[in-house]
Amino acid sequence: MVDLGRAAARGTAFTLVAQSGRFALQIGSLVVLARLLSPEAFGLVAMATSVLGVAELIRDFGLSSAAIQAKELSDAERTNLFWVNVGIGTTCAVLALVLARPIASLYGDPRVAGVVVALAGLLVVSGVTTQFRAELSRDLRFVALGVVELSAQAAGVAVAISSAVLGAGYWSIVAQQGTVVLVTCVLCVVFCGWRPGRPRRDTSVRKFVRFGSHVLGTQVLGYATNNVDNVGIGAVWGAGPLGVYSRAYQLLMVPINQINDPMSRVVLPVLSRVQDDGPTLQRYVEKAQRVGTYGLGPLFAVAAGVAAPLVALLFGPQWTAVVPVFVALAVGGVFRGVGLVTYWGFLARGRADRQLRMYLVTRPLMIGMILAGLPWGPVGVAAGHSAAFAVYWIVALLYMGKVTGLDSRRLLRQALVALAVLSLPVGGLAYLGTRLVDGTVPQLLLGGGLALAWVGLLLLVLPSQRAELAAARGLLRRQRVPAA
């Protein structure tokens, strides 16, 4: 029998090693492309992708999560799910082509239509990929998934930079996205031993579609919350301000995606296997949450503190407008880093329906909070974004506990203690360091050094925090990883 705790730890360890390489590639891409392209170029592509991303969620239809969460999955069911995803992806691609001009009209920029048309075909490719990727997750093939992610990202970055150097402008960003999707598809098919057959009429996938529809509803509402800021800024303020906002937002999301996405692929299949064992499920969820509370939380706090020299180093002096936007977003990033645990809890218990019910109430309120900042431009929207996610995290965590039977108050206490004794102080000390010296590099070094000094002090004088940090580190570092 597979030791799920060990499998989760090993899988997380390798996945995060691979993601560290992906993180370096994405940061490198951000740095280089910011010096090769204008804010308008980034804003133009963001206009298209912020709307087109809804089609990507519909294309998946929650069926990847449904397949991963299922206790048993026959080959016939897997085959039918594959064809459902391909069919939905093709339909979404056709709709995107039809709606390309109306989307461009929304922003008042005809160039957006060309971007939508260029990206539409990728929905079909992603539909093909869905069940191959889900099968790798079900089999705990975390090494293979890590290789796929890293290889696709490397190819995309290489294409984007080469295209930008040759003068392709915003099309270099489009080419990057296309390369990532195509390489991901090819490698998932290569690594996965399963192959789909013909659709089976005698095999129903209705239960998967029902579960997936709940996940889809949740994801669409979540996507609307995460992207209404781009649509609002693009429509009201134009491509330039949206380009500034999108750079700040991507700088926020790079570390979140590097940890949350791979962690979900590792944690969700493991939690689903122990969904009927309450104490074990609680223990695993607490371990998973520590990655956010002792990883992303302090990271964003320090990043907010050293935002000015960090942006100057990464993007150059022409991007100073990014600084206040990023600071406002980073505050919310702290809560987003710890908030994924609610998503895991709902899906592991098979209660995507109750999560959707919660989203129907909370997400429209969050969207209202975000759009309320529009009169103050990108900074106002960023502040509304962070406030919305802070409130949502607490509400969602408590409701998740009520629905799933997990001790959410214990999870809340664990997270609040970490934020109070670790994230808040290191962020304040990092900012203090930038005020004591001049120069980009000295400010980063002193700010980071003061933050590390506080971590060292915690380890020295607080045994409880020493144990928590050790537990978080233990989740990421365990002996060998499973073979691909």
Side-chain angles (χ1 to χ4, degrees), residues 124-449:
V124 181
V125 180
S126 294
V128 173
T129 308
T130 304
Q131 291 305 317
F132 287 104
R133 194 169 189 167
E135 182 65 14
L136 292 174
S137 291
R138 278 184 60 84
D139 291 342
L140 308 183
R141 298 278 305 281
F142 303 126
V143 173
L145 286 168
V147 171
V148 170
E149 293 282 352
L150 187 59
S151 301
Q153 189 64 42
V157 169
V159 169
I161 294 176
S162 300
S163 301
V165 169
L166 294 174
Y170 63 86
W171 288 110
S172 59
I173 307 174
V174 176
Q176 179 181 24
Q177 296 188 17
T179 301
V180 171
V181 172
L182 290 171
V183 172
T184 298
C185 179
V186 170
L187 292 181
C188 281
V189 173
V190 169
F191 282 127
C192 185
W194 167 77
R195 293 292 182 268
R198 296 179 179 179
R200 299 280 298 274
R201 292 186 177 183
D202 58 340
T203 301
S204 174
V205 292
R206 186 172 301 173
K207 64 179 180 180
F208 298 101
V209 173
R210 185 183 305 112
F211 181 92
S213 65
H214 295 144
V215 176
L216 172 64
T218 299
Q219 290 176 335
V220 168
L221 288 169
Y223 185 85
T225 306
N226 293 334
N227 289 272
V228 70
D229 45 6
N230 287 326
V231 175
I233 294 172
V236 175
W237 294 94
L242 178 56
V244 170
Y245 183 87
S246 70
R247 291 304 84 196
Y249 192 81
Q250 188 170 1
L251 189 58
L252 170 82
M253 292 306 297
V254 165
I256 289 180
N257 290 337
Q258 299 312 304
I259 294 180
N260 283 359
D261 287 353
M263 280 289 292
S264 290
R265 290 194 295 272
V266 171
V267 171
L268 184 56
V270 173
L271 294 184
S272 297
R273 294 193 184 189
V274 297
Q275 59 184 283
D276 297 324
D277 185 348
T280 301
L281 182 62
Q282 176 77 30
R283 187 169 68 253
Y284 283 3
V285 169
E286 289 180 9
K287 288 182 179 180
Q289 181 177 254
R290 289 187 179 101
V291 175
T293 55
Y294 290 91
L296 283 173
L299 174 65
F300 281 123
V302 173
V306 298
L310 179 64
V311 169
L313 179 66
L314 293 179
F315 298 155
Q318 69 273 26
W319 290 87
T320 54
V322 169
V323 174
V325 179
F326 177 71
V327 171
L329 287 173
V331 174
V334 172
F335 298 102
R336 294 182 66 158
V338 300
L340 194 62
V341 69
T342 62
Y343 173 76
W344 294 334
F346 279 114
L347 291 192
R349 287 289 202 185
R351 300 314 307 268
D353 57 333
R354 298 297 293 272
Q355 187 181 32
L356 175 58
R357 188 180 304 177
M358 179 191 68
Y359 267 41
L360 289 172
V361 175
T362 58
R363 292 292 167 155
L365 296 176
M366 294 175 68
I367 290 172
M369 294 177 68
I370 293 169
L371 292 180
L374 267 178
W376 293 273
V379 176
V381 172
H385 187 279
S386 290
F389 274 94
V391 173
Y392 169 77
W393 168 60
I394 297 175
V395 173
L397 189 60
L398 294 177
Y399 182 70
M400 183 270 292
K402 180 180 178 180
V403 170
T404 64
L406 292 167
D407 189 349
S408 59
R409 294 185 181 275
R410 178 181 172 87
L411 290 167
L412 181 61
R413 287 194 300 270
Q414 180 192 75
L416 288 176
V417 169
L419 295 177
V421 304
L422 182 58
S423 296
L424 184 60
V426 297
L429 288 169
Y431 176 73
L432 177 63
T434 67
R435 308 301 296 175
L436 295 177
V437 295
D438 294 325
T440 298
V441 174
Q443 287 176 343
L444 286 172
L445 291 176
L446 182 56

Side-chain angles (χ1 to χ4, degrees), residues 60-82:
D60 181 87
F61 209 82
L63 296 180
S64 59
S65 296
I68 293 172
Q69 191 271 343
K71 293 181 180 179
E72 296 181 357
L73 185 66
S74 69
D75 184 68
E77 289 172 332
R78 191 180 297 111
T79 291
N80 282 358
L81 289 174
F82 168 82

